[in-house]
């Protein structure tokens, strides 16, 4: 018995799965966020990413300086013009992220059952028995028996490139740990995560504020990814800061949930944020493996019912080094779409991965295929039932306008708006109706001649 949110023939012909997919008039609705970095910052590669389906470019300030990222964003602008593909800009903050510094960039081999010292002395060179940190309060936060994880993009899933440690002793400001698995750390920067321990650092640091007020303003960022969001107050603080920057007062804040504290305050954070990013890399460490799926499904459902975007991360890790995803990863992407996810965020896969364009193309195809069997009508009715009555004035106007356009077979809707909220509501409602009609009897509505016009009296907008 299949899910009520799936549209499958009964009984489905298994041989039909081998038939070529039918071309769709619309591209995949699930958006793809690509992180631009060393392997994906040239004009040619970015152009390929845009053509493959990337519609949001993420700039991760955990590494690289503003000059490096500015060169990349300038290449993005050139690629957007040449491909005629629009792309939003997302700035990802560093937040209270702990980092191991390896200035020599030589690979560091760590052997299981040996000891390694984590020290805040950044003058020390990173070796197999001593790792310098960017944080001086670790010794006060941990105790004997606590678990620490270290790796590039935090635990890639391969226990040869990431390591987990057990705290055996706190010696002054140093933390002595037992290495639990053999691994080789490569590169200049590794992320450190202490499982289920709060790190006493602000969510929006002074460094983050400096980057936002300079690089962010200069590039008029569309989204702010607020790393390590722990409370609703974190979102309110970030919004207050953005409101003081006139050019960014409409920048949307996506709260990144990546630790137990954020999970515990999820409902309040959802109310304040414009969207949610489910960072399964970090959170997957804090949660038992058997609980990760439950968090994902519950969080995505809550986002759907609140009408706010849900973004899923860490879906095709293996494509950082391979042209094809694993079978489990391909299924994971499809299930994320069927759960109701609005976007897929690619991190290491495009930042330092060998096949950024192919990765985006593959994920885009999986998303499109999953959307074809998603029962939009059933899910829409479920959402309406959950939301109930009464509607807000904005929702009522948008709903009435959409239904009227359907009934009279209108070719144009003109929306006057100063903030874009009314226009967005109308757009999403129209997309729901169009999808339903595409899956049903689309002869009742000439959607090929339908135009959606946004008129902003206070600003120029593109759609």
């Amino acid at each position: 018995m299949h899910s009520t949110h799936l549209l499958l023939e009964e009984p489905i012909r298994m041989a039909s799965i081998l038939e070529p997919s039918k071309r769709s008039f619309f591209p995949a609705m699930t958006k793809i966020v690509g992180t631009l970095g060393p392997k994906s910052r040239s004009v040619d590669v970015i152009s390929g990413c845009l053509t493959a389906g990337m519609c949001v470019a993420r700039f991760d300030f955990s590494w690289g300086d503003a000059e490096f990222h500015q060169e990349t964003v300038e290449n993005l602008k050139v690629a957007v013009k040449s491909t005629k593909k629009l792309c939003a800009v997302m700035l990802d903050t560093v937040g209270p992220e702990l980092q191991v510094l390896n200035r020599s960039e030589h690979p560091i081999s760590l052997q299981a059952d040996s000891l390694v010292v984590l020290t805040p002395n950044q003058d020390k060179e990173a070796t197999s028995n001593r790792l310098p940190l960017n944080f001086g309060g670790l010794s006060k936060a941990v105790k004997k028996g606590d678990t620490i994880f270290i790796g590039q993009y935090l635990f890639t899933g391969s226990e040869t490139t990431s390591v987990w440690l057990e705290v055996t002793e706190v010696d002054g400001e140093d933390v002595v740990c037992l290495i639990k698995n053999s691994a080789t750390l490569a590169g200049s920067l590794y992320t450190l995560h202490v499982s289920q321990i709060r790190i006493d650092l602000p969510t929006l640091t002074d460094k983050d504020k400096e980057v936002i007020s300079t690089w962010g303003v200069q590039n008029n960022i569309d989204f702010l990814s607020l790393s390590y969001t722990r409370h609703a107050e974190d979102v309110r603080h970030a919004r207050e800061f953005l409101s003081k920057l006139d050019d960014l007062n409409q920048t949307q804040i996506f709260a990144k949930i990546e630790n137990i504290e954020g999970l515990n305050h999820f409902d309040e954070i959802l109310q304040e944020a414009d969207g949610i990013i489910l960072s399964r890399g970090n959170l997957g460490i804090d949660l038992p493996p058997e609980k990760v799926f439950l968090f994902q499904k519950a969080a995505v459902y809550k986002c759907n019912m609140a009408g706010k975007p849900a973004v899923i991360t860490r879906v095709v890790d293996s494509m950082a080094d391979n042209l094809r995803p694993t079978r489990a990863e391909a299924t994971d992407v499809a299930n994320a779409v069927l759960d109701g996810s609005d976007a897929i965020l690619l991190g290491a896969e495009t930042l330092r991965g060998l096949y950024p364009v192919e990765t985006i193309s593959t994920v885009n195809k999986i998303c499109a295929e999953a959307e074809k069997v998603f029962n939009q009508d059933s899910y829409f009715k479920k959402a309406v039932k959950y939301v109930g009555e009464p509607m807000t004035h904005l929702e009522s106007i948008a709903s009435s306008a959409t239904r009227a356009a359907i009934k009279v077979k209108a070719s144009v809707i003109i929306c006057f708006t100063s903030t874009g909220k009314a226009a967005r509501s109308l757009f999403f409602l129209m997309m729901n109706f169009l999808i339903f009609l595409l899956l049903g009897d689309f002869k009742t509505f000439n959607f090929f001649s339908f135009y959606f016009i946004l008129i902003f009296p206070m600003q120029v907008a593109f759609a």
Side-chain angles (χ1 to χ4, degrees):
M1 183 175 181
H2 61 73
S3 168
T4 55
H5 298 317
L6 285 179
L7 286 174
L8 296 175
E9 298 176 7
E10 286 287 2
I12 185 171
R13 291 189 309 109
M14 300 305 289
S16 67
I17 296 174
L18 300 176
E19 296 173 1
S21 299
K22 296 179 181 178
R23 293 191 62 182
S24 174
F25 177 76
F26 293 105
M29 293 180 297
T30 305
K31 307 305 179 185
I32 297 179
V33 182
T35 305
L36 300 186
K39 297 293 184 179
S40 55
R41 64 190 305 258
S42 68
V43 173
D44 288 343
V45 174
I46 296 175
S47 297
C49 291
L50 292 171
T51 303
M54 181 182 76
C55 59
V56 179
R58 171 176 172 257
F59 294 83
D60 185 358
F61 275 80
S62 293
W63 60 272
D65 55 22
E67 182 180 353
F68 178 90
H69 289 299
Q70 189 59 41
E71 290 176 3
T72 306
V73 83
E74 294 301 329
N75 289 343
L76 172 64
K77 293 175 183 177
V78 175
V80 166
K81 288 182 179 179
S82 64
T83 61
K84 295 180 172 60
K85 301 284 187 181
L86 294 177
C87 184
V89 173
M90 174 182 283
L91 188 160
D92 199 308
T93 63
V94 179
E97 180 177 270
L98 305 189
Q99 299 171 348
V100 176
L101 308 177
N102 178 22
R103 291 188 176 84
S104 68
E105 298 193 19
H106 295 307
I108 299 172
S109 295
L110 301 174
Q111 297 300 317
D113 299 325
S114 59
L115 297 177
V116 63
V117 176
L118 306 179
T119 177
N121 188 347
Q122 298 182 28
D123 294 331
K124 297 286 186 180
E125 184 177 344
T127 65
S128 58
N129 54 28
R130 186 178 297 274
L131 300 175
L133 310 179
N134 67 340
F135 178 56
L138 184 64
S139 60
K140 297 178 182 178
V142 300
K143 62 183 183 304
K144 183 177 180 179
D146 283 344
T147 302
I148 296 175
F149 295 87
I150 297 176
Q152 270 196 338
Y153 266 84
L154 199 53
F155 231 59
T156 61
S158 168
E159 292 198 10
T160 60
T161 58
S162 300
V163 65
W164 64 288
L165 315 170
E166 180 181 321
V167 176
T168 60
E169 181 186 356
V170 175
D171 182 13
E173 291 189 328
D174 293 345
V175 177
V176 183
C177 300
L178 176 67
I179 302 172
K180 305 295 285 187
N181 68 289
S182 297
T184 299
L185 303 179
S188 59
L189 185 71
Y190 323 118
T191 304
L192 180 146
H193 180 79
V194 186
S195 182
Q196 302 191 20
I197 297 294
R198 189 185 195 282
I199 299 301
D200 191 20
L201 286 172
T203 300
L204 193 66
T205 65
D206 290 340
K207 180 181 177 182
D208 291 327
K209 291 179 179 179
E210 181 183 353
V211 169
I212 294 169
S213 59
T214 54
W215 191 92
V217 170
Q218 180 182 349
N219 295 289
N220 196 21
I221 58 172
D222 303 283
F223 302 104
L224 178 70
S225 171
L226 190 60
S227 297
Y228 296 94
T229 304
R230 296 174 284 198
H231 299 272
E233 184 58 36
D234 294 337
V235 181
R236 287 191 287 267
H237 176 65
R239 200 177 302 282
E240 181 183 359
F241 178 74
L242 291 178
S243 68
K244 297 175 182 177
L245 306 172
D246 292 338
D247 293 334
L248 301 184
N249 55 15
Q250 291 194 43
T251 296
Q252 294 195 13
I253 299 175
F254 275 52
K256 207 170 178 187
I257 308 299
E258 42 193 330
N259 55 33
I260 291 294
E261 201 168 0
L263 183 150
N264 287 333
H265 300 98
F266 183 87
D267 291 339
E268 306 95 275
I269 293 171
L270 178 59
Q271 288 182 355
E272 292 293 332
D274 297 302
I276 297 291
I277 297 175
L278 307 178
S279 183
R280 302 191 307 176
N282 290 2
L283 197 57
I285 291 174
D286 275 359
L287 287 174
E290 66 273 16
K291 295 287 188 179
V292 175
F293 87 94
L294 188 57
F295 164 74
Q296 176 178 321
K297 290 181 179 292
V300 169
Y301 177 78
K302 284 176 176 287
C303 290
N304 289 170
M305 294 304 106
K308 296 186 178 181
V311 184
I312 299 292
T313 70
R314 303 301 295 269
V315 289
V316 286
D317 286 352
S318 70
M319 290 197 75
D321 303 303
N322 300 287
L323 266 172
R324 288 168 59 92
T326 66
R327 287 79 172 164
E329 288 173 337
T331 304
D332 189 27
V333 174
N335 280 330
V337 174
L338 296 176
D339 284 343
S341 301
D342 299 280
I344 302 294
L345 190 153
L346 301 173
E349 303 98 322
T350 56
L351 181 143
R352 59 177 176 82
L354 302 178
Y355 310 101
V357 176
E358 292 82 356
T359 299
I360 292 172
S361 177
T362 299
V363 170
N364 191 45
K365 289 176 183 177
I366 297 171
C367 291
E369 204 68 27
E371 289 168 9
K372 291 177 183 178
V373 295
F374 187 85
N375 192 334
Q376 300 282 352
D377 183 43
S378 170
Y379 207 82
F380 178 73
K381 289 177 179 177
K382 185 175 181 180
V384 170
K385 183 178 179 181
Y386 178 89
V387 173
E389 301 286 350
M391 292 183 178
T392 65
H393 292 301
L394 176 59
E395 290 169 339
S396 179
I397 293 170
S399 178
S400 298
T402 303
R403 291 175 185 274
I406 296 293
K407 288 181 178 179
V408 302
K409 301 180 182 179
S411 297
V412 177
I413 290 182
I414 300 177
C415 178
F416 289 87
T417 177
S418 59
T419 65
K421 289 182 180 179
R424 280 194 294 269
S425 297
L426 272 169
F427 177 75
F428 289 126
L429 279 168
M430 281 308 307
M431 287 304 296
N432 269 318
F433 273 107
L434 291 180
I435 294 160
F436 174 68
L437 291 169
L438 279 170
L439 296 173
D441 181 15
F442 58 82
K443 294 180 181 178
T444 60
F445 183 67
N446 185 11
F447 58 87
F448 288 105
S449 64
F450 180 82
Y451 295 91
F452 189 73
I453 301 176
L454 313 183
I455 297 181
F456 284 71
M458 295 175 62
Q459 59 185 343
V460 177
F462 55 82

